[in-house]
Amino acid sequence: MIHLFWDIDGTLLSTARAGVFALEDAARQVLDGELDLSTMRTAGLTDAEIAVEVCRSFGRQERAGDFLRAYARLLPEALGRRQGEVLPNVRENLEALDARDDVVNLLLTGNVREGAEAKLRHYGLWEFFADTGGAFSVEGSDRPSIARTARALVEDAYVPDRAYVIGDTPHDVSCGKAIGARTIAVATGPGYSLAELEACEPWLALKALPEPGALAEALGLLSKSR
């Protein structure tokens, strides 16, 4: 069995930064202030880490949990305020992989569970993960702890060279390496170039997710029975 652990933002889809609206609204509700994210590089940070950074900027670190919950509650409405998209070849690959009985698609994401589901539902991708779920950001979590949670989900069946973490940032590459998985870095997010991702030494670095046949070949699936 092959386990694929997928990042969401910049890998499966782009919300066109619609989540910023939810962050700003959460700051107004929880921190009683206006949030300026222009100087904060959030690519690859977990929702929990973003909440801590935002609350720290207001001198209100103790409200990080409240802020995180408010953000998750406000996100579904915020997604409709920008025209995002499912990234190229994502739906085609998920459909092809979902049809196989030797592949399991899971999430390994810095989104809180409610935020991950909201984004995937909004862009019509939740059906590919509804039964399998994955590992998500929770208050106090960081990438390594999320990665360990992801591995624990399939611990009995986990084989490092048959497990792949697919993401668009160096954080995703580090996540995969932390659990001994192969890492596939795709330069489809806004934060990192292909050269920057290659410098992190992933198992495979790509400009974008390839079409289903090419991805299946890279994963060694073409010779395997369905």
Side-chain angles (χ1 to χ4, degrees), residues 190-211:
Y192 298 91
S193 68
L194 180 59
E196 289 175 306
L197 294 174
E198 288 174 333
C200 300
E201 300 183 340
W203 179 76
L204 180 64
L206 301 167
K207 186 175 181 180
L209 197 68
E211 54 84 25

Side-chain angles (χ1 to χ4, degrees), residues 48-72:
E49 289 169 333
I50 291 172
V52 168
E53 288 300 313
V54 168
C55 291
R56 182 179 290 126
S57 72
F58 281 84
R60 304 286 300 279
Q61 294 95 317
E62 77 282 358
R63 299 302 305 275
D66 296 327
F67 180 88
L68 193 60
R69 288 185 285 275
Y71 162 75

Side-chain angles (χ1 to χ4, degrees), residues 41 43-44 168-171 186-197:
R41 191 175 191 182
D168 67 299
T169 76
H171 304 277
V186 289
T188 45
Y192 298 91
S193 68
L194 180 59
E196 289 175 306
L197 294 174

Side-chain angles (χ1 to χ4, degrees), residues 141-159:
S141 68
D142 56 16
R143 286 277 177 179
S145 65
I146 298 172
R148 290 191 293 270
T149 298
R151 176 170 178 159
L153 291 172
V154 295
E155 187 63 48
D156 291 343
Y158 190 85
V159 179

Side-chain angles (χ1 to χ4, degrees), residues 10-168:
T11 302
L12 295 176
L13 57 85
S14 167
T15 68
R17 290 183 61 79
V20 169
F21 296 121
L23 293 171
E24 291 173 343
D25 290 343
R28 295 184 188 103
Q29 291 186 15
V30 177
L31 303 172
D32 302 313
E34 295 297 322
L35 176 62
D36 179 11
L37 286 170
S38 62
T39 60
M40 185 182 297
R41 191 175 191 182
T42 59
L45 294 182
T46 68
D47 284 351
E49 289 169 333
I50 291 172
V52 168
E53 288 300 313
V54 168
C55 291
R56 182 179 290 126
S57 72
F58 281 84
R60 304 286 300 279
Q61 294 95 317
E62 77 282 358
R63 299 302 305 275
D66 296 327
F67 180 88
L68 193 60
R69 288 185 285 275
Y71 162 75
R73 184 181 69 252
L74 293 163
L75 182 60
E77 184 277 332
L79 291 172
R81 295 165 68 179
R82 286 273 176 87
Q83 186 62 49
E85 62 177 344
V86 176
L87 293 171
N89 290 323
V90 164
R91 190 180 304 278
E92 295 84 349
N93 272 293
L94 290 177
E95 288 175 347
L97 294 166
D98 192 56
R100 304 184 64 103
D101 59 12
D102 56 351
V103 175
V104 178
N105 290 303
L106 302 110
L107 296 168
L108 199 172
T109 173
N111 286 267
V112 292
R113 181 182 178 87
E114 298 87 347
E117 183 173 348
K119 290 177 182 180
L120 293 170
R121 283 190 182 278
H122 187 82
Y123 291 99
L125 299 178
W126 179 244
E127 64 181 290
F128 300 110
F129 302 96
D131 293 334
T132 55
F136 310 90
S137 178
V138 296
E139 187 176 353
S141 68
D142 56 16
R143 286 277 177 179
S145 65
I146 298 172
R148 290 191 293 270
T149 298
R151 176 170 178 159
L153 291 172
V154 295
E155 187 63 48
D156 291 343
Y158 190 85
V159 179
D161 63 2
R162 293 172 64 79
Y164 299 82
V165 173
I166 306 173
D168 67 299

